[in-house]
Amino acid sequence: MFNQDNKNLILAIALSVAVLIGWNYFVGGPQLEKQRQAQPTAGQQAGPTVPSPAPREGQPSTPNPATLPGNAAAPAAETRETALARSPRVRIDTPALVGSIALKGGRIDDVSLRKYHETVDDKSPLIVLLSPSGSPTPYYAEFGWVGAGAPAPDALWTANGDVLSPDRPVELSHDNGAGLVFRRRLQVDDKFMFTVQDTVENKGAAPATLYPYGLVSRHGKPPTQGYYVLHEGMIGVVGDQGLQEYGYATLDKEGVIPGQTTRGKVWNGVTGGFLGITDKYWAAAVLPDQVQPYQGSYTSRQEGPTFIYQANVLSDAKTIQPGATADITQRLFAGAKEVQQVDRYETALGIKKFDLLIDWGWFYFITKPMFKALDFFFKMFGNFGVSILLVTVILKAFFLPLANRSYRSMAKMKAVQPEMVAIRARFKDDKVKQQQEMMALYKRDKINPVAGCWPILIQIPVFFALYKVLFVTIEMRHAPFFGWIRDLAAPDPTSLFNLFGLLPFTVPEFLHIGVWPLVMGVTMFLQMKMNPEPPDPVQKAMFSYMPLIFTFMLASFPAGLVIYWAWNNLLSVSQQYVIMRRNGVKVELWDNLRGMFAKKPAPAKG
């Protein structure tokens, strides 16, 4: 039969396996299947006494039915090239962007990122951000007016130029034939910001009341990475309501907006901020006038099998008297979420908390300074991997006093270990008395038995902050280290189970254990062996299996994070070795390693 120690050992192994599986299922692994299935059917709700029309494609949803035009069905899906050819266009040509603006509807619906490719190969296709309605993945921005006399969604605008570039703005114009003349002046900088100034002139005999709006619309739920530590979907800072993040599935479950047939969330009378849709590295967001109140909303509606998601900004009504004009200026961010550029926009344009467009997470106060430090050394040495190594050294130096106290306490624990063994032997049948004697021993020698845990505990938020930096910042995307690591934000591409590429087959994802995870596991193993093995068999088993568990667990993590962990372990081993030698305590590393291979004496025969 199993004795209690064997039962505890089996339990420890089972718990270790459970931790590994649980981590990969709940945190480390994508949940794409779950997200594909989480698509509830958009419900319908009876309207008020006067039925309100459903919002047409590309127009903001609002609780005020009077501001909404009728519904227009989206065209059938076709190739992106065919969809682009359905409208005359003004080219977009900047150092950062390439694409076009549709003159039919005046939409910004064709944007690719000139400096970003789909893979690390510079010859791979550019990242396509925005695409027109009717294409396989419609995703576009639209600005204008809603109300009587406003241009139809497919109204044809004329342009005074054929190219929009940083030094060549373009003006679009449209005459509704009933006394209202609409003009739209478009400007773009050398990065990712469009400025849209809409003007309406009333040449008629009666006043006109119109509502300015801006929106970002996405047709279909895009593929998401499915990590709980990463937000993808609707994002915005909505005035004093602060950061508002809604995933696609979450928005689908919101209640129906009163008076509408769309689900969503509405904020009335807010000032400042932005609303948009974000992916891991890219985003499109409407930036309203930062001093004028507006209604912000996220909406989700279903047309056939397709869900349409919108981030909307609806400003207060403007009444234009005969002979008068009204105008409004809004902006569109459409591009890569580069930290420095996002911060510059926040400062230069006064955009409220625009830096939250990047998902810094709960540890914002650690995560963003961590990035700043990494970026500082990157600009100095030109390699983010080297930057990670240097920042790790700085962090070790910062935590050195606490680590020294911890290691000194561990050295004292080692010095009294013979007495601890004797106490366990003397009171093996009296656990209460054994614990009392242990506590008396700790008190006599001023030992804190949990002090050795502090270096690990204080690293947890730092580790998570670095993980967020590597995972969410585009600066880490496709950033190489040395050798085979060409992307610090991706897992180590090698695998032990095909001899690191020597055998011509692809291993399953869960067996994808590369060189750096193995190095990390070895350094963690050495760190464990620096101390005396715990006498308790359960603790001994846990410490023995921990490096193996972490090797599997971190195999799917970004290579930059694994490099950090391995380097940090190596520094910790060196630091502990020096401290223990200074305190006259024997370093157990070599004895523990030899003990692994030493033959155990045979039990004496009775």
Side-chain angles (χ1 to χ4, degrees):
M1 294 180 66
F2 291 120
N3 60 27
Q4 187 61 37
D5 288 343
N6 286 332
K7 291 180 180 178
N8 289 337
L9 177 59
I10 293 173
L11 179 61
I13 295 173
L15 289 174
S16 300
V17 173
V19 169
L20 172 61
I21 295 173
W23 177 275
N24 281 281
Y25 183 81
F26 290 108
V27 180
Q31 305 294 317
L32 297 180
E33 186 62 28
K34 180 179 178 182
Q35 293 191 1
R36 283 195 294 267
Q37 295 174 357
Q39 292 193 12
T41 302
Q44 300 292 322
Q45 177 173 304
T49 304
V50 180
S52 61
R56 66 171 170 84
E57 170 200 330
Q59 291 290 18
S61 300
T62 171
N64 185 352
T67 66
L68 297 176
N71 183 53
E78 53 197 357
T79 66
R80 188 172 189 276
E81 292 71 22
T82 302
L84 289 171
R86 286 186 175 275
S87 169
R89 293 184 168 271
V90 173
R91 278 196 308 118
I92 299 171
D93 187 5
T94 80
L97 303 176
V98 61
S100 62
I101 299 168
L103 291 181
K104 186 178 287 187
R107 288 177 177 170
I108 302 174
D109 63 356
D110 174 27
V111 172
S112 297
L113 309 184
R114 194 184 290 274
K115 296 182 179 180
Y116 292 95
H117 297 262
E118 292 182 0
T119 70
V120 293
D121 186 356
D122 289 339
K123 296 181 181 179
S124 63
L126 297 178
I127 293 295
V128 175
L129 181 61
L130 302 183
S131 294
S133 181
S135 68
T137 56
Y139 185 18
Y140 52 84
E142 182 176 309
F143 297 86
W145 309 83
V146 287
D154 58 350
L156 187 63
W157 295 64
T158 59
N160 67 349
D162 57 359
V163 179
L164 174 64
S165 62
D167 57 349
R168 294 173 64 182
V170 169
E171 184 174 290
L172 310 183
S173 60
H174 172 77
D175 190 330
N176 74 347
L180 297 179
V181 178
F182 299 87
R183 295 184 179 85
R184 180 170 302 149
R185 180 178 173 83
L186 295 164
Q187 296 174 279
V188 64
D189 64 9
D190 59 353
K191 297 297 286 186
F192 312 117
M193 189 66 73
F194 293 83
T195 301
V196 182
Q197 183 182 23
D198 274 300
T199 303
V200 56
E201 180 182 3
N202 188 355
K203 294 184 176 181
T209 299
L210 300 171
Y211 295 78
Y213 76 91
L215 64 84
V216 173
S217 183
R218 189 171 213 166
H219 296 206
K221 188 177 298 183
T224 58
Q225 300 211 2
Y227 288 90
Y228 286 102
V229 296
L230 172 68
H231 172 71
E232 296 174 277
M234 320 305 288
I235 189 169
V237 170
V238 189
D240 293 335
Q241 300 296 315
L243 179 65
Q244 300 292 334
E245 296 178 324
Y246 282 72
Y248 298 106
T250 302
L251 191 61
D252 291 339
K253 298 173 184 176
E254 281 292 310
V256 176
I257 297 174
Q260 300 298 318
T261 59
T262 59
R263 295 178 179 271
K265 184 71 175 178
V266 179
W267 297 271
N268 290 305
V270 293
T271 303
F274 64 94
L275 289 95
I277 302 176
T278 184
D279 298 324
K280 179 178 181 179
Y281 294 123
W282 338 104
V286 175
L287 285 61
D289 187 312
Q290 295 297 296
V291 297
Q292 297 296 324
Y294 65 91
Q295 178 198 85
S297 64
Y298 299 146
T299 59
S300 166
R301 73 180 188 276
Q302 189 172 8
E303 291 188 3
T306 303
F307 282 84
I308 299 178
Y309 302 94
Q310 285 188 185
N312 312 294
V313 170
L314 184 66
S315 299
D316 290 343
K318 292 182 179 291
T319 299
I320 307 99
Q321 298 296 331
T325 61
D327 61 51
I328 189 169
T329 299
Q330 302 177 91
R331 290 184 169 87
L332 169 72
F333 174 90
K337 298 190 294 185
E338 298 174 358
V339 177
Q340 188 175 42
Q341 192 58 47
V342 168
D343 286 347
R344 284 176 179 170
Y345 285 141
E346 178 178 356
T347 302
L349 302 178
I351 308 169
K352 189 172 188 176
K353 297 181 180 179
F354 193 53
D355 64 330
L356 296 184
L357 183 67
I358 299 169
D359 185 12
W360 295 112
W362 292 347
F363 293 104
Y364 173 95
F365 59 95
I366 300 176
T367 310
K368 194 166 184 181
M370 179 80 73
F371 171 81
K372 296 290 187 181
L374 290 168
D375 191 53
F376 173 80
F377 288 111
F378 169 74
K379 291 174 180 176
M380 186 177 298
F381 296 100
N383 188 300
F384 269 113
V386 173
S387 181
I388 290 171
L389 301 183
L390 291 172
V391 169
T392 305
V393 173
I394 293 173
L395 290 173
K396 294 297 289 186
F398 180 77
F399 290 121
L400 185 61
L402 181 58
N404 284 344
R405 287 196 296 270
S406 174
Y407 289 135
R408 281 196 294 268
S409 179
M410 292 169 65
K412 290 180 181 180
M413 285 280 287
K414 181 183 181 302
V416 299
Q417 187 177 22
E419 295 183 63
M420 295 168 63
V421 173
I423 291 173
R424 287 193 179 97
R426 192 183 318 142
F427 302 104
K428 63 179 180 180
D429 297 325
D430 189 347
K431 298 296 183 182
V432 175
K433 183 64 175 177
Q434 183 186 109
Q435 189 67 22
Q436 290 174 348
E437 291 295 320
M438 286 287 191
M439 296 306 295
L441 177 64
Y442 295 152
K443 185 175 181 180
R444 185 197 73 191
D445 289 86
K446 298 180 180 179
I447 296 172
N448 183 355
V450 299
C453 299
W454 283 112
I456 296 176
L457 293 177
I458 62 178
Q459 286 182 56
I460 291 176
V462 176
F463 168 82
F464 184 76
L466 182 60
Y467 173 59
K468 287 286 287 188
V469 169
L470 292 172
F471 196 70
V472 307
T473 56
I474 194 170
E475 287 78 1
M476 300 295 169
R477 180 181 185 266
H478 297 172
F481 184 43
F482 297 113
W484 64 94
I485 301 297
R486 300 180 63 191
D487 186 357
L488 286 168
D492 187 324
T494 60
S495 177
L496 169 67
F497 294 97
N498 65 1
L499 298 182
F500 311 109
L502 294 178
L503 300 180
F505 68 89
T506 302
V507 299
E509 192 67 28
F510 71 97
L511 292 177
H512 203 93
I513 302 174
V515 174
W516 275 107
L518 290 173
V519 172
M520 186 283 305
V522 170
T523 59
M524 191 173 190
F525 172 78
L526 294 176
Q527 190 176 22
M528 295 292 180
K529 292 300 180 181
M530 287 289 292
N531 303 303
E533 292 189 348
D536 181 73
V538 176
Q539 293 182 18
K540 182 178 178 180
M542 288 297 293
F543 281 123
S544 297
Y545 281 96
M546 193 174 293
L548 181 62
I549 293 172
F550 272 76
T551 298
F552 274 88
M553 209 161 64
L554 269 68
S556 62
F557 277 41
L561 189 68
V562 181
I563 291 170
Y564 155 77
W565 195 279
W567 176 238
N568 183 70
N569 287 346
L570 186 61
L571 293 176
S572 297
V573 168
S574 303
Q575 182 183 12
Q576 187 174 354
Y577 181 87
V578 171
I579 293 173
M580 293 177 75
R581 291 296 297 268
R582 284 181 177 177
N583 284 271
V585 177
K586 181 183 177 181
V587 178
E588 297 285 346
L589 176 61
W590 310 117
D591 287 346
N592 285 338
L593 292 178
R594 280 192 295 267
M596 293 177 58
F597 303 101
K599 290 184 177 180
K600 294 183 179 180
K605 294 182 179 181

